[in-house]
Amino acid sequence: MKILSDNTSLLKSLRPFNDLGFVPTMGGIHKGHLSLINKSNKLCKKTIVSIFINPKQFNKKTDLKSYPQNIKKDLKILKKSKKVDFVYIPKFNDIYKDRKKSKIKILKEDKILCAKFRKGHFEGVLDVMTRLTKIIKPNKIFMGEKDFQQFYLVKKLLETNYVTKIIPCKTIRDKNNLALSTRNLLLDKSQLKIAAIVYKSMSRIKKNIKNKKNIPHFLKFKKKELKNNYKIKIDYLELRNKKNLKLSKTTNNSRLFIAYYLNEVRLIDNL
Ligand code: AMP
């Protein structure tokens, strides 16, 4: 496993390879990241993982400040997996040296879910993903379905403009079915318990939704119920079509999306 900490060594090391799988991360490596790495290792000759906490996608300074990081531990886990050929740990300037201001705009129809509640977040994600793709030139990029809207927007942008394929990977969960996330490290025991209950409620809601005539009304009621029972702030609880992310009136080809806060920690999930 070779560590690449600047663009010169990256370009030199990657030059001989033309079947490259790329797993972008912000570190805090967990089994969710490792599942993406496994898939890349199976489908591509070489796998490169990036660790870069991209400041431009944080719409709150406090969120960026508290974002967990431990490069030493990450490298140990990645090495132990024996599935990673390169780890790219760029500095801010390696990515943003080309100071051209990003022209990325989120379309009005895409300003839904997290794009509506986290202003500027996806502009930052799409900017950094474009820059990483230009630098690394991967054949395939592996992304988690836990961040479904991110996968959807990145796929739409990058597959239109670059020769790369975005490969979705299933959400990995802990023993209580909570979707693994680096931000889970910020939760205490009682908050983890509530997060597990939210998952259970989501799967019950998804099951019951089938026989409901007025889905938005039913979800509005369930959102209120969750909010009152567990004292959580909920940004959205919506059923959307997984191909175009439009609001859905049936469970066919649809996913139930949630974003909520446990104190200051914002969690998302979809089933
Ligand atoms: P992050 O480090 O949180 O930015 O995530 C890096 C990549 O890992 C993204 O494509 C995420 O969607 C993916 N990922 C994060 N958590 C999970 C999970 N629990 N299961 C599958 N993929 C995940």
Side-chain angles (χ1 to χ4, degrees):
M1 187 176 89
K2 195 163 180 181
I3 297 165
L4 310 166
S5 40
D6 60 69
N7 289 3
T8 316
S9 61
L10 175 121
L11 294 176
K12 206 168 136 201
S13 299
L14 297 189
R15 200 175 298 138
F17 304 110
N18 61 3
D19 184 10
L20 198 58
F22 173 36
V23 179
T25 83
M26 296 206 296
I29 301 295
H30 52 66
K31 287 185 178 144
H33 299 122
L34 290 177
S35 77
L36 274 54
I37 291 168
N38 277 336
K39 200 158 175 179
S40 170
N41 188 265
K42 275 194 196 122
L43 298 182
C44 305
K45 277 212 182 94
K46 295 283 173 191
T47 290
I48 177 167
V49 175
S50 67
I51 300 177
F52 179 61
I53 301 181
N54 174 33
K56 299 208 173 193
Q57 71 187 67
F58 285 80
N59 53 325
K60 270 189 189 169
K61 269 199 183 138
T62 46
D63 187 24
L64 173 61
K65 246 186 166 171
S66 65
Y67 198 84
Q69 50 176 315
N70 188 340
I71 286 276
K72 244 187 176 171
K73 192 172 165 203
D74 287 347
L75 288 175
K76 216 168 145 187
I77 299 171
L78 294 175
K79 194 164 182 199
K80 201 170 154 216
S81 79
K82 296 203 169 87
K83 303 273 165 78
V84 181
D85 300 285
F86 304 102
V87 187
Y88 177 46
I89 312 175
K91 285 171 236 19
F92 182 84
N93 274 342
D94 290 305
I95 304 292
Y96 291 104
K97 205 165 28 203
D98 168 13
R99 295 211 177 266
K100 258 185 241 145
K101 234 181 144 199
S102 156
K103 289 197 188 79
I104 288 163
K105 289 248 162 25
I106 306 289
L107 295 178
K108 202 171 162 212
E109 70 203 46
D110 287 330
K111 286 198 175 157
I112 53 168
L113 302 171
C114 289
K116 178 172 159 194
F117 287 91
R118 295 185 73 189
K119 296 252 164 6
H121 167 63
F122 283 122
E123 285 85 346
V125 169
L126 295 175
D127 185 14
V128 77
M129 284 304 298
T130 303
R131 289 169 186 270
L132 285 166
T133 302
K134 278 191 195 163
I135 295 169
I136 296 175
K137 301 187 177 61
N139 301 69
K140 295 186 176 72
I141 304 177
F142 295 83
M143 303 196 77
E145 289 180 347
K146 185 192 77 89
D147 304 278
F148 196 88
Q149 189 179 17
Q150 170 174 275
F151 156 73
Y152 171 85
L153 291 173
V154 169
K155 185 177 173 72
K156 202 158 84 161
L157 180 74
L158 293 188
E159 288 189 353
T160 324
N161 295 307
Y162 300 91
V163 193
T164 189
K165 277 223 75 80
I166 316 299
I167 314 287
C169 304
K170 295 256 160 299
T171 300
I172 305 298
R173 299 175 181 279
D174 71 7
K175 60 180 191 310
N176 298 317
N177 282 317
L178 172 60
L180 294 183
S181 163
T182 304
R183 284 196 172 85
N184 293 357
L185 292 169
L186 302 171
L187 302 176
D188 64 25
K189 251 188 179 169
S190 67
Q191 291 169 325
L192 286 168
K193 238 185 199 167
I194 296 177
I197 294 174
V198 170
Y199 169 84
K200 251 192 205 155
S201 311
M202 291 259 298
S203 28
R204 212 172 304 132
I205 292 169
K206 181 101 194 265
K207 233 189 233 162
N208 291 340
I209 226 168
K210 288 197 181 89
N211 0 318
K212 300 295 168 200
K213 278 209 180 88
N214 188 336
I215 290 180
H217 182 77
F218 173 64
L219 288 177
K220 205 170 160 190
F221 174 76
K222 285 291 162 190
K223 186 175 159 192
K224 223 179 197 168
E225 198 176 70
L226 275 174
K227 199 176 125 197
N228 293 337
N229 287 350
Y230 305 108
K231 311 280 171 264
I232 52 178
K233 179 174 165 256
I234 302 179
D235 276 349
Y236 56 76
L237 175 68
E238 290 175 351
L239 187 73
R240 288 185 176 265
N241 182 289
K242 63 183 179 194
K243 291 275 173 263
N244 54 26
L245 288 190
K246 290 205 184 328
L247 278 171
S248 194
K249 288 198 174 93
T250 93
T251 47
N252 294 341
N253 287 320
S254 295
R255 281 172 181 258
L256 182 62
F257 291 86
I258 193 166
Y260 64 102
Y261 285 85
L262 291 170
N263 288 344
E264 292 295 304
V265 185
R266 188 176 190 272
L267 299 179
I268 56 172
D269 202 352
N270 65 88
L271 337 167

